[in-house]
Amino acid sequence: MTPGILATATYGRVDAPPLLFIRALPAEVDNPRGVDRIMERLILRGPAGVSRVHAVGRPAYLPTDFDMPEIADIYARYLREHFDRPVALMGLSTGASVALQLAADHPTLVKSLVVAAGSGRLSARGRAIQRRYVSLLTAADRRAYAELASATMNSKHFDGVVRLASRIAPKPDDPESLIALVRAEDRYDMLGRAHRITAPTLILSGERDVFYPPTLGRETAERIRRASQIVYRGRAHGGVPLHPHFARDIAGFLSAHA
């Protein structure tokens, strides 16, 4: 089957300007339910206050050899099919990688860009963690979720709880497409194309993020003509969207560029 169907959940006022939000790993093919839905509402509380948010996950049926530009093309097609004008774009983690690639390859589709816990490429440590994750996923080893969650939260105090909770989490839908997406992110490096992004850009980094550290966020921001970066002190990768200023910073940025 051809990849391209993106399940969509909407938040915020119907009459507000549209924003496309691309979810992080390990997003399911379908829309989140239960606790995951509550967490998504929490993450999107800022943009949903000033935008009509269209939240999408990863596409199903991804070929194993797809790269990040080809994945970004799927979301670009979604934008063309659903909106008649450039829209705000926001991505979290892997979703931020897709968003950056999309904004560089299809600049006329993007009005403003929010990059949360992301940058123009993975760190060496982040790449090693994700390769381990793919190896465990391929072997159907449930430790995959625990190890990814542990690195995401990067907390000595709560590591045991994080690992336990992730071990009992349900298996992802369409694991083959999930593996294809992680492998594409492993090869992802758009720093050389970052100058093509014309939209005003906000990069939100965690000081203790092992996947997309603030140094890479700063390098990405420096290559985009209208970009700024905010670093949340003491925050790991998973702690960026939980920072008390996260919602306010995004809402303020979106309002300024509405």
Side-chain angles (χ1 to χ4, degrees):
M1 294 186 180
T2 303
I5 299 175
L6 300 173
T8 306
T10 54
Y11 307 93
R13 301 195 328 268
V14 176
D15 60 342
L19 177 145
L20 181 70
F21 171 68
I22 306 177
R23 297 177 180 126
L25 286 181
E28 301 300 337
V29 172
D30 293 325
N31 289 319
R33 300 176 296 274
V35 175
D36 290 337
R37 178 80 169 194
I38 294 171
M39 285 301 299
E40 180 158 282
R41 286 183 178 277
L42 178 66
I43 291 170
L44 294 174
R45 64 196 184 280
V50 296
S51 307
R52 178 64 169 175
V53 179
H54 301 256
V56 295
R58 58 184 171 87
Y61 314 117
L62 275 180
T64 56
D65 61 345
F66 255 37
D67 57 20
M68 195 61 81
E70 290 174 300
I71 293 170
D73 285 346
I74 296 173
Y75 294 88
R77 185 166 65 247
Y78 180 96
L79 287 175
R80 291 190 180 97
E81 291 174 351
H82 289 80
F83 307 103
D84 59 1
R85 62 188 187 278
V87 303
L89 178 64
M90 174 180 170
L92 175 63
S93 187
T94 301
S97 301
V98 178
L100 276 163
Q101 188 76 56
L102 193 163
D105 294 350
H106 307 274
T108 60
L109 298 179
V110 183
K111 181 178 182 180
S112 58
L113 175 62
V114 176
V115 176
S119 67
R121 63 177 172 83
L122 272 168
S123 70
R125 185 179 174 190
R127 188 172 289 111
I129 292 168
Q130 294 205 167
R131 286 178 180 175
R132 168 71 171 165
Y133 175 62
V134 165
S135 176
L136 292 171
L137 270 182
T138 303
D141 190 327
R142 292 197 61 85
R143 289 179 298 170
Y145 321 119
E147 296 214 1
L148 183 66
S150 175
T152 298
M153 299 312 297
N154 193 19
S155 170
K156 294 180 180 179
H157 299 295
F158 299 104
D159 190 64
V161 175
V162 169
R163 286 179 175 273
L164 178 61
S166 58
R167 288 291 294 272
I168 61 176
K171 294 182 179 179
D173 297 332
D174 189 16
E176 293 80 10
S177 289
L178 176 58
I179 290 170
L181 179 56
V182 178
R183 284 176 172 163
E185 190 175 21
D186 180 78
R187 301 187 298 271
Y188 157 80
D189 186 343
M190 56 72 61
L191 286 175
R193 295 180 63 78
H195 67 279
R196 290 175 51 87
I197 297 176
T198 57
T201 301
L202 174 64
I203 298 177
L204 302 167
S205 304
E207 184 184 34
R208 296 173 47 249
D209 190 336
V210 300
F211 295 94
Y212 292 105
T215 51
L216 282 175
R218 182 170 64 252
E219 183 178 358
T220 306
E222 289 172 348
R223 293 174 182 237
I224 300 172
R225 184 165 58 90
R226 294 191 289 166
S228 58
Q229 181 193 29
I230 297 175
V231 179
Y232 295 137
R233 294 187 61 184
R235 292 284 164 155
H237 187 73
V240 169
L242 303 179
H243 192 277
H245 294 167
F246 182 78
R248 182 194 68 187
D249 290 337
I250 295 175
F253 171 80
L254 293 173
S255 296
H257 298 284

